[in-house]
Amino acid sequence: LSIRRQRQMCIRDRLYHAEACGGYNYARAGEETLDLCLGKLFAAMSADEYRHADLLMQMLGRRMKCL
């Protein structure tokens, strides 16, 4: 792989990892809380983070194919 391609993949992976970790951490916090409303809020935030991670992979994947 070229240096440019490796750099692009590294950026993509870093962005995906940040969003996916956010999703995991919100899910874990939701499981640990005793407050039902807070648990639902954390679950919704977790789903959003995972959705963001998927969208990032789709958008960045398309962009890298164009280069």
Side-chain angles (χ1 to χ4, degrees), residues 52-63:
H52 295 160
D54 289 338
L55 286 171
L56 274 170
M57 288 300 278
Q58 291 172 13
M59 291 185 316
L60 292 172
R62 279 192 218 122
R63 175 70 181 134

Side-chain angles (χ1 to χ4, degrees), residues 4-63:
R4 183 177 181 187
R5 177 78 171 149
Q6 289 175 354
R7 191 172 347 133
Q8 291 169 340
M9 290 173 67
C10 182
I11 291 168
R12 180 198 65 195
D13 292 347
R14 208 174 350 177
L15 292 171
Y16 174 81
H17 187 262
E19 292 292 335
C21 283
Y24 173 76
N25 288 330
Y26 281 130
R28 194 173 68 191
E31 292 171 357
E32 292 176 2
T33 186
L34 299 177
D35 186 313
L36 183 61
C37 293
L38 189 56
K40 288 181 180 182
L41 179 63
F42 280 137
M45 292 168 71
S46 174
D48 283 344
E49 291 294 309
Y50 282 125
R51 186 175 47 80
H52 295 160
D54 289 338
L55 286 171
L56 274 170
M57 288 300 278
Q58 291 172 13
M59 291 185 316
L60 292 172
R62 279 192 218 122
R63 175 70 181 134

